[in-house]
Amino acid sequence: MNLFKRAWWHLRVRIGRTLLLTGLFLVICTLSLSGFLIQSAAARAAEDAKRSVGAVVTMELDLNALLAKEGRDGGGGPGASLIGAGGDLHRDLADKIGSSPVVTGYNYVSEGAGAPTDSARFYRAVPPPPELNLDSIAEFFPVLGVRDSEQEAGFRNGSRTLLSGTGVKPGDTGNRALIEERFAQANGLAVGDVFTLSSGKWNPEATDVMVEYTVAGIYRDEKKSDSQRYTPPGSEPGNQIYSTIDGASRLQGKDPATGGGVVRRATFTLGDPDDLDRLKADALAAGADLTVFPLSVNDKQYRTLVGPIGETADFATVTVWLVSVAGLVIVGLIAASSLRERRGELGVLMSLGESKARILGQHVVEITACALLAIGIAAGAGPLLSKTVGDALLSNEVAGAAAQAAEDADAPDLSDIGGGKKDAPAVHPVDRLDIRLASGDLVKVGAAGLGIALLATVVPGIGVLRLRPREILTKGD
Amino acid sequence: MTTPVLRLTDLVRTFPGGNKRRTVLKGVTCDFEEGRVYSVVGPSGSGKTTLLALAGGLDAPTSGTVSFRGRDVAEIGLGAYRNKHVATVFQQLNLLGYLTAVQNITAAMEITGVRGVSRRKRAHELLDLLGIDDTDRRRRPARLSGGQQQRVAIARALACDVDVLFADEPTGSLDQDTAAEIIEVFRRLAHEEGKCVVIVTHSPQVAAASDEVLHLKRGKLTRR
């Protein structure tokens, strides 16, 4: 068509203007494409993160809700057969919820404490100072009854590793225990050996019960003992004992067959954080009272993984918009100025009877040709730029997130009374951008570039449609 | 009597001017026939260019009609009228600055839909006729003199094979010899090819070479 030929001649003759427009579009398209690529990489990373870590949902007693509820309906309530009247969470309920198809793993814990016996003495890195009256303080072994020790945060994040034997596994019954190697060495214990804990003397009304445990496995905790000063045994990492739920219940003086199925809290790992609603529905169907035992999602791992890349993607989104709007304005101004400069040409074409649409079409073709050339070059330059800029931005965000995490780690988490949030093992944020140029990204940047070209030409070109050739070509005599 | 190719009937054209409208043409009526050269003369501000713009389809009258072969050009459409039936040569702003002389002509032929001839060949023939040499034909307008540009514009108008050719001060920027050559081209077009040529001019030389001189004064057209 004639307008294409004229456009080509104009582009060739006015090479400076052609290069200026192409360069401008190249900047717009490259920056926009980089933004789109970073957004795509962030979306992929978020999806991968969802699949890799999912989310941990914790179910535990909300004491205030329980008190409010008991005050309202006199201590009874739905689900009373599964949830103890005192606000106990029964493991049968957790097992039912754990069978939900959206749950990829679950655990529940029962916290207990054991007093030392001749066969189980405390591991002490530093002996208690002579002036300390040991009778005045309660020294104990922290005993954590678990359904599955592998689901515990320390074992999941690798800070605790099994050295020998096995961990506590789902379905284990009896009094099996997983002990730390420092405690094992202090007491000369090996896998298969038996040791005894006392239920303790700190509750004067309770009967002192002696519970025998069989060592199922020995693990190592990376956390070092304080070798400079005395640490109470309950805070000494070497004294942490994991046992079956049955074992922990017996230490609390409960019979596992009757009142021993009560756990402190249950955690459920979801394959996808978006499945929380489905889990709630399944929990309600299982008979849970979600008012008293709310399900709180801990997607900290997910947020840790994708937080910095999400921030980078947000920045990229803002960049795309800013560049697009600024580009539209600049190209629009250039196009408007060009139309003004070329009024004479428009008048000549109009006097020849060329349609206004075709005259405008020629300008659109010229700008579009520059945009297409720029898009082609941007397809090569965009991935390189997005990788370089994206990685630089991301490393800043990751560093910022690490500093924030260190700050958060130092500060006590007052909202984490039950310790459920610590069930999520530590993860490192995604610190590399997986930039992949897909046809969809090119379509998006193409649409943005061509959209800018079209708008920038058509909007000022509306003025052209109003012109009459006489206004341009004669002096108005 | 020959049928008029162009008829202006009671043309009025007013323009906004301050608080009241200014009437430039006050009921102009005139017929133009094929095979004749007309000059429109008159003092500055008499409405010559406005008359040419209305007759050439570059503007629409406030009232009255312009008819081409008996059809109101408003019916034909001003764009189609300019595209198929008439051509205008201006004193300035005649050519597309980014095209060579030859390309200006071939582009116009494409726009006006001239078919059945080799466009380049026809362009060269016309440029031969108007005395533009080979080197100048490959030049863009900025590198041509005013007279050369005017001749290329005329060649372009001829190339489009229209019935009526309008020219606004076509010799204004030309020396006397070139102006005489251009006038002769217009006369040949009218007398040998049967075109109707309407020239707006101040030049007595052009007026004298015309078949008919129309005098425009204070918006009224009279024949001499």
Side-chain angles (χ1 to χ4, degrees), chain A residues 418-440:
Chain A
K421 290 185 180 176
K422 293 190 175 69
D423 278 343
V427 290
H428 298 292
V430 177
D431 58 359
R432 289 183 70 81
L433 279 170
D434 178 18
I435 298 289
R436 288 182 225 160
L437 180 63
S439 55

Side-chain angles (χ1 to χ4, degrees), chain A residues 8-341:
Chain A
W8 165 240
W9 281 332
H10 188 270
L11 287 172
R12 218 175 49 170
V13 172
R14 304 274 188 264
I15 190 73
R17 179 182 170 277
T18 304
L19 290 176
L20 171 75
L21 267 178
T22 306
L24 186 60
F25 269 112
L26 182 59
V27 172
I28 295 168
C29 294
T30 306
L31 289 176
S32 300
L33 181 60
S34 301
F36 288 135
L37 290 177
I38 291 172
Q39 284 176 328
S40 305
R44 269 196 304 276
E47 202 54 42
D48 290 348
K50 262 187 193 178
R51 292 208 182 91
S52 67
V53 300
V56 176
V57 179
T58 302
M59 179 182 233
E60 63 185 325
L61 175 67
D62 179 341
L63 196 55
N64 289 333
L66 176 70
L67 292 174
K69 184 179 171 61
E70 288 188 339
R72 202 167 56 238
D73 55 34
S81 59
L82 292 170
I83 302 165
D88 292 337
L89 174 61
H90 201 283
R91 64 180 169 184
D92 288 352
L93 176 64
D95 284 332
K96 280 186 185 176
I97 300 171
S99 66
S100 165
V102 297
V103 174
T104 56
Y106 70 102
N107 198 18
Y108 35 74
V109 299
S110 174
E111 291 166 345
T117 62
D118 288 345
S119 63
R121 291 177 300 278
F122 291 126
Y123 165 75
R124 296 182 195 274
V126 174
E131 66 274 14
L132 186 69
N133 179 6
L134 292 177
D135 292 335
S136 67
I137 57 169
E139 290 191 312
F140 61 91
F141 287 102
V143 179
L144 193 67
V146 295
R147 171 182 176 267
D148 182 358
S149 57
E150 281 185 13
Q151 293 284 326
E152 275 299 293
F155 290 97
R156 284 171 67 191
N157 68 23
S159 65
R160 288 172 189 148
T161 45
L162 190 65
L163 297 179
S164 58
T166 62
V168 176
K169 295 177 184 166
D172 276 356
T173 53
N175 301 342
R176 292 166 62 78
L178 180 61
I179 58 172
E180 216 276 341
E181 68 172 332
R182 284 166 280 194
F183 170 73
Q185 283 166 4
N187 293 279
L189 293 170
V191 174
D193 288 351
V194 173
F195 67 93
T196 304
L197 293 179
S198 156
S199 62
K201 54 187 177 182
W202 40 81
N203 182 357
E205 292 176 10
T207 314
D208 192 5
V209 179
M210 303 299 281
V211 182
E212 265 191 3
Y213 292 91
T214 302
V215 177
I218 296 173
Y219 73 93
R220 174 177 295 156
D221 190 339
E222 297 298 328
K223 207 169 174 186
K224 302 279 182 239
S225 304
D226 190 338
S227 57
Q228 301 299 315
R229 49 186 181 171
Y230 165 75
T231 304
S235 303
E236 165 56 51
N239 289 324
Q240 175 67 54
I241 296 170
Y242 292 95
S243 83
T244 52
I245 294 288
D246 287 357
S249 296
R250 288 193 178 99
L251 200 57
Q252 294 161 18
K254 294 175 183 172
D255 180 358
T258 54
V262 172
V263 294
R264 175 76 177 81
R265 66 175 179 275
T267 53
F268 306 94
T269 305
L270 301 180
D272 186 336
D274 295 338
D275 285 335
L276 179 64
D277 287 341
R278 171 73 193 276
L279 180 71
K280 283 182 178 172
D282 290 346
L284 284 170
D289 181 347
L290 297 183
T291 313
V292 178
F293 293 101
L295 288 168
S296 60
V297 68
N298 177 14
D299 55 356
K300 187 180 168 189
Q301 280 180 300
Y302 171 71
R303 283 187 280 110
T304 303
L305 274 169
V306 302
I309 206 170
E311 296 286 330
T312 306
D314 288 346
F315 180 79
T317 304
V318 171
T319 305
V320 166
W321 277 107
L322 278 180
V323 166
S324 300
V325 172
L328 177 61
V329 170
I330 295 169
V331 175
L333 286 174
I334 290 177
S337 144
S338 168
L339 281 168
R340 205 188 329 272
E341 276 172 26

Side-chain angles (χ1 to χ4, degrees), chain A residues 2 5-6 9-10 13-14 344-345 348-354 362 468-470 472-475 477, chain B residues 15 45 49-50 53 58-60 79 82-83 90-91 93-94 96 98-99 103 107-108 110-112 140 156:
Chain A
N2 190 263
K5 204 187 283 183
R6 285 202 310 269
W9 281 332
H10 188 270
V13 172
R14 304 274 188 264
E345 175 194 333
V348 170
L349 289 169
M350 281 186 203
S351 77
L352 291 168
E354 181 67 308
Q362 180 189 336
R468 280 186 176 169
R470 180 183 192 278
I472 303 168
L473 296 169
T474 69
K475 288 173 282 185
D477 183 13
Chain B
F15 293 98
T49 301
T50 301
L58 301 170
D59 195 8
R82 291 194 303 267
N83 190 246
F90 303 95
Q91 192 176 358
L93 295 173
N94 270 310
L96 301 178
Y98 55 91
L99 301 184
Q103 285 171 341
E110 284 182 43
I111 290 170
T112 54
R140 284 192 277 277
R156 186 184 63 191

Side-chain angles (χ1 to χ4, degrees), chain B residues 164-175:
Chain B
V164 183
L165 178 67
F166 296 98
D168 186 6
E169 300 282 9
T171 58
S173 57
L174 306 180
D175 59 71

Side-chain angles (χ1 to χ4, degrees), chain B residues 10 12 24 44 53 63 70 86 103 111 121-122 125 133 144 152 165 175 208 214:
Chain B
D10 204 18
V12 175
V24 176
S44 293
S63 66
V86 298
Q103 285 171 341
I111 290 170
K121 192 177 166 200
R122 174 80 174 137
E125 282 171 4
D133 67 31
L144 297 175
V152 174
L165 178 67
D175 59 71
L214 305 169

